Amino acid sequence: MNAIVALCHFCELHGPRTLFCTEVLHSPLPQGAGSGDISGQNEQAEEEEGGIQMSSRIRSHSPAEGASADSSSPGPKKSDMCEASGEICGCRSLAGGHPGYVSHDKETSIKYVSHQHPNHPQLFSIVRQACVRSLSCEVCPGREGPIFFGDEQHGFVFSHTFFIKDSLARGFQRWYSIITIMMDRIYLINSWPFLLGKIRGIIDELQGKALKVFEAEQFGCPQRAQRMNTAFTPFLHQRNGNAARSLTSLTNDENLWACLHTSFAWLLKACGSRLTEKLLEGAPTEDTLVQMEKLADLKEESEGWDGSEEEEKPSSQPDVVEGQELSKSSPETSLVPDCNSWNVAHRRLSVFRSLRHMRQVLGASAFRMLAWHVLMGNQVIWKAQDVDLVQSAFDVLRTMLPIGCVRIIPYSEQYEEAYRCNFLGLGPHVQIPPHILASEFAVIVEVRAASRSSLYPTLFDDEQSLNKYEFLVTSGSPVAADRVGPTILNKIEAALTNQNLSVDVVDQCLVCLKEEWMNKVKVLFKFTKVDSRPKEDTQKLLSILGAAEEDNVKLLKFWMTGLSKTYKSHLMSTVRSPTSSECRN
């Protein structure tokens, strides 16, 4: 995660100051750190924790710290000392020549570097400004707790202010804050719960250690009574070296900064790995929404079956679920689709591999008639002995329709009405009602054993299974050869006849065409079903959409049944709101 975590302190002498910060480096160490790296190679103390290797190394100071170019000698500078006690000032963490901390993440080749200030001047300015704001104007009620602030120029900040007990401080406590700075506002806001919990844990640990020291000091030498005796002495005149105690003194932990470095480095690594970015190319498609709804329905149904006992025998009629293949009606044959469902890829290789392959098998005119009925929502009936062939045909034909428009009974021993399925597989001896045979809303594909004179020519080596069949496509309303047909059908045929396009490219063309026409369906649904516009306006809309022809209108009305419940309910809840009605009027 590209962020900086810093511990800040409000010093009574100098105001808000940065005590300790950890930053992420995706490249080799800065120029100043490189020189110090060489001098500290012999004294590296390396540890490993959670895949991160930590070492203590010398780093040069930022220009803001006032360090000279030759200030690489270990030990604190005079400017870092408290005037009275000779100890390191409370608004400093590491002495002038003290080694910084560097942790190496072996998995990502990222370095986590900790020191009092960032080495880069621009980062130093950003951290400095965030520190001042977190301990002055950007404070939550009670002065202790989390808050968010920032802008695009100086970055966004998650700040958590807190108090540390100090028996020698004014009010017996000192004011600190831990801040997390990054430029990605959305990422930082999404990380709020994680950062709040982990930073709160660090603060609790610091406060617990300081409280033990405070209680021990109060037990040995109570400061409240002593201050009451000197109440009339100005407080500023009482200041001595103890008035600016360091955090290591307050917590009695000499390894405090190494522990904070480990905690801050882990926080940056964990916060960066818990959220991942995904490239979304727009809103979810209708097919995706319908699939999610079907999965939710199936899950709810399965949970209902788990909690109840079977009291009735299963119905003799085959079940139908939109967009899914289900079993036959007879118990003996119901196992066939389930077994074959594990072999869908094999069926496609051995029978129909694609729409282009089916067009070659059936012939151009027969395929156009079949595809026209599929797109219009008419019932498509396949009569064949080979169950795999029927299911393979439905697998291919369904790719022309939205998932919500697909209702399949892959194989049945009796005719099923069109309202139950628009794809129906029947055995060769099943009788079809006469009114269906003569209906213009149904197409029948009969698969017969081919005579020797009408054998289907084998185009590929793996088409031996089709070579023994002949296919007869009939309908009560044959599609005339000169009929224009729906626009999408003409574009599909153009893609199938273009030999320069591979099967994969044709599949992507189908996806694009379906999305294009589903968008037109959405517009028409909102215009007619939700807004209830008059027919004259609807005709104008269809002309604008390029779908004024009769076949295109029928297609849009059928595809409207494939819209997801999510989309429909969303329109009903938003468009019919009072605000929307007022705007429309």
Side-chain angles (χ1 to χ4, degrees), residues 439-471:
S439 174
E440 61 178 335
F441 301 110
V443 60
I444 302 171
V445 181
E446 292 189 63
V447 184
R448 302 174 178 175
S451 59
R452 188 173 297 274
S453 60
S454 61
L455 284 176
Y456 164 69
T458 302
L459 301 179
F460 302 97
D461 295 336
D462 56 358
E463 291 185 356
Q464 297 298 329
S465 60
L466 291 174
N467 190 36
K468 56 185 178 182
Y469 298 121
E470 63 178 355
F471 301 87

Side-chain angles (χ1 to χ4, degrees), residues 538-574:
T538 303
Q539 289 299 324
K540 294 179 182 178
L541 174 66
L542 291 173
S543 299
I544 294 173
L545 295 177
E549 296 79 7
E550 180 183 0
D551 285 347
N552 287 329
V553 175
K554 290 181 178 179
L555 182 143
L556 291 176
K557 290 181 177 180
F558 168 56
W559 283 29
M560 201 178 291
T561 62
L563 287 174
S564 63
K565 298 176 184 177
T566 304
Y567 178 78
K568 292 179 181 179
S569 61
H570 172 72
L571 282 184
M572 294 299 182
S573 61
T574 57

Side-chain angles (χ1 to χ4, degrees), residues 14 65-67 76-83 87 89 92 96:
H14 307 105
E65 295 181 49
K77 297 290 183 296
K78 183 177 181 181
S79 59
D80 302 329
M81 298 290 192
C82 180
E83 296 179 358
E87 295 181 353
C89 180
R92 286 201 58 88

Side-chain angles (χ1 to χ4, degrees), residues 96-112:
H98 192 283
Y101 298 96
V102 180
S103 292
H104 302 267
D105 187 349
K106 297 180 180 179
E107 298 176 356
T108 59
S109 300
I110 293 177
K111 295 182 178 67
Y112 299 91

Side-chain angles (χ1 to χ4, degrees), residues 233-531:
T233 305
F235 182 82
L236 291 178
H237 293 173
Q238 300 178 41
R239 289 188 174 174
N240 51 30
N242 294 329
R245 301 165 70 188
S246 65
L247 189 58
T248 54
S249 175
L250 294 178
T251 58
N252 193 26
D253 186 358
E254 296 297 330
N255 297 320
L256 174 68
W257 305 118
C259 294
L260 279 180
H261 166 77
T262 303
S263 299
F264 287 175
W266 180 89
L267 185 68
L268 290 170
K269 177 180 172 63
C271 190
S273 60
R274 61 180 293 271
L275 295 178
T276 56
E277 296 180 348
K278 292 184 178 180
L279 178 62
L280 299 178
E281 300 178 355
T285 63
E286 283 299 302
D287 284 356
T288 303
L289 292 176
V290 172
Q291 283 179 328
M292 293 170 61
E293 292 172 356
K294 297 307 172 187
L295 289 175
D297 292 341
L298 288 175
K299 182 178 180 180
E300 183 178 353
E301 183 179 353
S302 63
E303 291 176 353
W305 277 107
D306 293 340
S308 62
E309 296 180 359
E310 295 184 9
E311 298 180 357
E312 298 180 359
K313 295 182 179 180
S315 173
S316 60
Q317 292 184 339
D319 296 329
V320 181
V321 175
E322 295 181 6
Q324 296 186 1
E325 298 179 1
L326 296 178
S327 60
K328 307 175 192 177
S329 57
S330 63
E332 293 80 12
T333 54
S334 63
L335 296 176
V336 178
D338 294 336
C339 297
N340 288 331
S341 64
W342 297 93
N343 253 338
V344 174
H346 175 69
R347 286 204 310 270
R348 291 182 178 177
L349 288 175
S350 60
V351 192
F352 294 109
R353 298 189 308 274
S354 64
L355 283 174
R356 176 178 289 171
H357 182 210
M358 180 178 286
R359 187 174 185 271
Q360 293 172 344
V361 173
L362 301 181
S365 59
F367 175 81
R368 180 177 176 83
M369 179 192 300
L370 178 61
W372 184 87
H373 283 279
V374 170
L375 292 171
M376 293 294 105
N378 298 334
Q379 191 174 38
V380 178
I381 303 173
W382 279 66
K383 294 185 65 176
Q385 184 68 40
D386 190 345
V387 181
D388 289 349
L389 184 145
V390 175
Q391 292 184 341
S392 173
F394 290 163
D395 286 342
V396 171
L397 290 174
R398 68 190 296 175
T399 60
M400 292 190 291
L401 293 177
I403 292 179
C405 296
V406 178
R407 303 184 308 280
I408 297 178
I409 296 179
Y411 208 71
S412 177
E413 297 299 338
Q414 63 182 10
Y415 171 76
E416 299 294 339
E417 295 293 339
Y419 73 88
R420 301 199 71 236
C421 60
N422 57 339
F423 291 96
L424 175 61
L426 297 176
H429 304 297
V430 176
Q431 295 296 321
I432 299 177
H435 70 278
I436 299 299
L437 295 174
S439 174
E440 61 178 335
F441 301 110
V443 60
I444 302 171
V445 181
E446 292 189 63
V447 184
R448 302 174 178 175
S451 59
R452 188 173 297 274
S453 60
S454 61
L455 284 176
Y456 164 69
T458 302
L459 301 179
F460 302 97
D461 295 336
D462 56 358
E463 291 185 356
Q464 297 298 329
S465 60
L466 291 174
N467 190 36
K468 56 185 178 182
Y469 298 121
E470 63 178 355
F471 301 87
L472 179 61
V473 183
T474 59
S475 174
S477 176
V479 180
D482 57 346
R483 186 167 182 170
V484 177
T487 304
I488 189 174
L489 175 58
N490 299 327
K491 291 185 177 181
I492 290 175
E493 284 199 311
L496 295 178
T497 55
N498 189 346
Q499 298 300 323
N500 293 325
L501 302 180
S502 65
V503 174
D504 293 335
V505 174
V506 173
D507 290 342
Q508 293 302 315
C509 288
L510 277 175
V511 173
C512 295
L513 288 173
K514 287 193 294 184
E515 276 303 298
E516 175 188 353
W517 282 83
M518 280 305 290
N519 289 333
K520 296 179 181 181
V521 168
K522 291 179 180 179
V523 174
L524 183 62
F525 177 82
K526 179 180 182 301
F527 201 80
T528 58
K529 304 296 183 181
V530 180
D531 295 344

Side-chain angles (χ1 to χ4, degrees), residues 156-303:
F156 299 93
V157 183
F158 172 88
S159 172
H160 196 303
T161 52
F162 61 99
F163 291 104
I164 291 291
K165 285 291 185 179
D166 183 3
S167 60
L168 301 180
R170 181 189 304 178
F172 299 105
Q173 59 187 9
R174 298 191 181 277
W175 201 19
Y176 292 84
S177 70
I178 295 179
I179 59 176
T180 303
I181 312 168
M182 65 185 309
M183 303 303 295
D184 192 336
R185 177 176 62 89
I186 301 300
Y187 197 101
L188 187 58
I189 292 176
N190 289 334
S191 301
W192 175 288
F194 175 81
L195 291 174
L196 179 60
K198 302 306 177 184
I199 290 178
R200 186 67 249 180
I202 297 174
I203 293 173
D204 289 342
E205 186 175 356
L206 291 176
Q207 289 179 330
K209 292 179 180 180
L211 182 61
K212 292 180 180 179
V213 175
F214 174 79
E215 292 176 347
E217 292 177 347
Q218 287 292 86
F219 180 78
C221 181
Q223 292 291 316
R224 186 176 297 275
Q226 182 178 353
R227 292 185 184 185
M228 292 294 292
N229 295 330
T230 58
F232 298 101
T233 305
F235 182 82
L236 291 178
H237 293 173
Q238 300 178 41
R239 289 188 174 174
N240 51 30
N242 294 329
R245 301 165 70 188
S246 65
L247 189 58
T248 54
S249 175
L250 294 178
T251 58
N252 193 26
D253 186 358
E254 296 297 330
N255 297 320
L256 174 68
W257 305 118
C259 294
L260 279 180
H261 166 77
T262 303
S263 299
F264 287 175
W266 180 89
L267 185 68
L268 290 170
K269 177 180 172 63
C271 190
S273 60
R274 61 180 293 271
L275 295 178
T276 56
E277 296 180 348
K278 292 184 178 180
L279 178 62
L280 299 178
E281 300 178 355
T285 63
E286 283 299 302
D287 284 356
T288 303
L289 292 176
V290 172
Q291 283 179 328
M292 293 170 61
E293 292 172 356
K294 297 307 172 187
L295 289 175
D297 292 341
L298 288 175
K299 182 178 180 180
E300 183 178 353
E301 183 179 353
S302 63
E303 291 176 353

